[in-house]
C-alpha cells in the first residue's frame, strides 16, 4: 500500500474573476485565502492511496467525458449560516452541469460521503468572524462573472495545506 495523498477535484475560476474573489477572501482575513484558489468543488478533500493513482486518473478521464464544455455564470452571494460559517458567490448558470460532473467524479473508485447535500458555489469566506463574512456577503452582492468551463482540475494538497493543480481533464461529452 502506498502513502496516502489528499486530493480534490474542482472547476477553476479563471482570471480576472479569480483575482477578485481571492482578493476578497484575503481582505476579510480568511486564513485559507492563500492556500485555496477560487473554485467550484466537485470532490472535497479526499485521501487516496498513491498506488491507486492510475485508477483514479482513468476514472477522472471517464468522468470528464460526461459533460460538454459549458458557460458558467456567477452572480450574487449566499451563505450556509447558521449550519456552516461560509459565505459564497452563487452559481447562477451551469449548476446542472456541475451536479452531473460531481456525480460522475464522486463514485467508485473515489466514493466520498458529503457532510451536506451538494450545492455548487465559490467560497469567499469560511470560519471567520460574522462581521467579516457579512462584509464579503455585502461587498460581493452585485458580483457577476461569466466564462466558459472547458475542463476540471485534480488538485493535490501539500503538507502546509496549500492546494496545487496536478492535472486538467478536458470536458469532452463523448
Amino acid at each position: 500500500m502506498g502513502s496516502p495523498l489528499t486530493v480534490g477535484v474542482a472547476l477553476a475560476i479563471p482570471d480576472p474573476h479569480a483575482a477578485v474573489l481571492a482578493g476578497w477572501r484575503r481582505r476579510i482575513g480568511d486564513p485559507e485565502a492563500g492556500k485555496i484558489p477560487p473554485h467550484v468543488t466537485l470532490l472535497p478533500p479526499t485521501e487516496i492511496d498513491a498506488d491507486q493513482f492510475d485508477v483514479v486518473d482513468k476514472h477522472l478521464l471517464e468522468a470528464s467525458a460526461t459533460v460538454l464544455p459549458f458557460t458558467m455564470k456567477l452572480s450574487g452571494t449566499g451563505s450556509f449560516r447558521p449550519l456552516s460559517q461560509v459565505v459564497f458567490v452563487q452559481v447562477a448558470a451551469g449548476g446542472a452541469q456541475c451536479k452531473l460532473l460531481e456525480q460522475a467524479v464522486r463514485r467508485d473508485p473515489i466514493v466520498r460521503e458529503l457532510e451536506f447535500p451538494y450545492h455548487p458555489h465559490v467560497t469567499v469566506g469560511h470560519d471567520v468572524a460574522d462581521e467579516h463574512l457579512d462584509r464579503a456577503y455585502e461587498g460581493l452582492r452585485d458580483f457577476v462573472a461569466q466564462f466558459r468551463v472547458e475542463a476540471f482540475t485534480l488538485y493535490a494538497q501539500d503538507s502546509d495545506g496549500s492546494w496545487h493543480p496536478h492535472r486538467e481533464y478536458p470536458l469532452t461529452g463523448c
Side-chain angles (χ1 to χ4, degrees):
M1 187 163 146
S3 60
L5 299 172
T6 301
V7 299
V9 178
L11 302 171
I13 306 303
D15 279 324
H17 317 300
V20 171
L21 298 174
W24 268 97
R25 202 160 184 178
R26 280 190 306 278
R27 190 174 304 141
I28 65 165
D30 188 324
E32 300 299 309
K35 296 180 179 183
I36 303 172
H39 66 278
V40 174
T41 300
L42 300 177
L43 176 74
T46 302
E47 274 195 6
I48 63 167
D49 187 324
D51 291 344
Q52 293 298 307
F53 187 81
D54 289 344
V55 173
V56 169
D57 184 57
K58 182 176 184 266
H59 166 68
L60 293 175
L61 281 169
E62 292 169 1
S64 70
T66 61
V67 172
L68 287 167
F70 61 96
T71 299
M72 179 177 286
K73 181 177 182 182
L74 305 176
S75 181
T77 51
S79 178
F80 294 131
R81 294 182 285 177
L83 295 176
S84 181
Q85 289 295 100
V86 173
V87 167
F88 56 86
V89 170
Q90 299 189 64
V91 174
Q97 292 91 337
C98 292
K99 288 179 183 181
L100 288 171
L101 286 168
E102 181 268 345
Q103 290 168 354
V105 166
R106 200 178 51 82
R107 62 178 171 80
D108 192 39
I110 46 176
V111 176
R112 167 76 154 69
E113 293 300 316
L114 299 179
E115 188 175 349
F116 301 104
Y118 182 70
H119 178 84
H121 65 279
V122 181
T123 298
V124 291
H126 185 222
D127 287 340
V128 295
D130 278 331
E131 61 267 16
H132 299 302
L133 292 175
D134 292 343
R135 203 164 110 216
Y137 187 92
E138 291 301 318
L140 289 165
R141 179 185 359 192
D142 297 325
F143 179 85
V144 176
Q146 187 167 304
F147 51 90
R148 292 289 289 167
V149 176
E150 303 280 343
F152 63 72
T153 304
L154 173 67
Y155 289 86
Q157 189 176 39
D158 287 345
S159 59
D160 71 352
S162 296
W163 290 90
H164 303 281
H166 182 76
R167 179 174 179 191
E168 275 197 356
Y169 296 84
L171 303 179
T172 61
C174 19

